[in-house]
Amino acid sequence: MRYPASEKLEIIRLVEQSHLPVRRTLDKLGIPTTTFYRWYDRYQRLGTAGLRDRTSGPGRVWNRIPDAVRQDIVALALERPELSPRELAMTFTDTRRYFVSEASVYRLLKAHDLITSPAFVVIKAADAFKDQTTRPNQLWQTDFTYLKVIGWGWFYLSTILDDFSRYIIAWKLCTTMKADDVTDTLKLALAASGCDTARIVRGGPRNPDRMLSWSATV
């Protein structure tokens, strides 16, 4: 089956954000690992251009975002530079009532030199992490997953994951992504794990640019 470049990038993003190992995530998506790594290697070398199929003639993108909308997305990105492509896509969809995917926003910002480095890094199975956890509760990771319920609006799933066991210790469904929401989820994790305190660490061994980690002590 042939995938357009936009779907290949969506698949790459799903794998990068998945809490599961790469192979298990790809199995769920029905994508062979060799195919995925061929895409990813070309993406690292050539950017989104490397994900396009090589054709003998010019193609036409049937679902291209209108120029006026593209300009609005760029304007919002300049107005809110602290937003990631994921957050920007969510904000634009919610406030402008026009759906755009994270992949589309990422491509657009990349084309305007508004992204200087990849938001995520996929580590192949042959590589090893430098600082590996050796026991439960040594390091926790927290993140938000957002979802939109038609007729209700946006909701945000706050989770805390134990780095060693890959077990979700606590979770909370929120209507915002504020610091208080993370704090409330952390309190649930402390109660569930029996730990007394947790020390915040900005970044982590899995995803240093985006992740908040917690060093928990019993």
Side-chain angles (χ1 to χ4, degrees):
M1 177 180 178
R2 288 184 174 274
Y3 293 87
S6 59
E7 290 189 20
K8 292 176 184 178
L9 186 59
E10 291 279 10
I11 291 170
I12 288 173
R13 290 286 176 262
L14 287 172
V15 174
E16 289 172 331
Q17 297 175 64
S18 175
H19 292 309
L20 297 174
V22 173
R23 185 179 295 275
R24 287 183 58 188
T25 303
L26 292 174
D27 287 343
K28 290 180 177 294
L29 296 174
I31 305 295
T33 54
T34 53
T35 299
F36 173 79
Y37 283 124
R38 184 173 67 251
W39 294 348
Y40 196 74
D41 287 338
R42 290 173 59 188
Y43 174 67
Q44 286 184 312
R45 289 186 289 107
L46 304 173
T48 54
L51 299 178
R52 301 192 187 101
D53 288 331
R54 299 175 181 177
T55 57
S56 56
R60 183 172 66 91
V61 181
W62 64 269
N63 61 343
R64 176 183 172 86
I65 299 175
D67 290 339
V69 176
R70 293 163 66 88
Q71 293 173 6
D72 287 344
I73 294 173
V74 172
L76 181 60
L78 293 173
E79 179 184 342
R80 302 285 303 277
E82 75 279 5
L83 296 181
S84 67
R86 175 184 180 185
E87 294 166 336
L88 190 63
M90 176 190 67
T91 301
F92 190 88
T93 300
D94 198 28
T95 58
R96 309 298 170 86
R97 299 295 189 268
Y98 189 104
F99 175 77
V100 290
S101 68
E102 176 190 353
S104 296
V105 172
Y106 183 89
R107 289 196 303 271
L108 183 58
L109 299 186
K110 189 73 172 178
H112 285 77
D113 291 327
L114 295 177
I115 294 180
T116 57
S117 61
F120 307 96
V121 175
V122 168
I123 299 179
K124 297 183 180 181
D127 297 334
F129 295 111
K130 179 181 178 182
D131 300 318
Q132 299 186 18
T133 50
T134 57
R135 58 178 174 80
N137 298 327
Q138 184 178 359
L139 183 71
W140 295 346
Q141 300 171 7
T142 183
D143 198 5
F144 277 99
T145 298
Y146 67 90
L147 55 114
K148 186 172 187 179
V149 180
I150 302 299
W152 289 81
W154 289 99
F155 291 87
Y156 311 94
L157 181 64
S158 171
T159 58
I160 291 185
L161 175 81
D162 181 76
D163 186 80
F164 180 78
S165 65
R166 314 307 293 169
Y167 178 76
I168 295 180
I169 304 171
W171 61 270
K172 179 186 176 185
L173 191 63
C174 314
T175 55
T176 63
M177 291 194 297
K178 297 181 179 179
D180 289 343
D181 297 316
V182 180
T183 302
D184 291 343
T185 313
L186 176 61
K187 291 177 181 178
L188 294 174
L190 290 172
S193 65
C195 295
D196 296 326
T197 60
R199 179 174 60 88
I200 185 171
V201 179
R202 179 72 60 175
R206 300 296 190 261
N207 195 344
D209 293 330
R210 288 177 52 85
M211 188 173 295
L212 286 179
S213 301
W214 308 87
S215 176
T217 55
V218 178

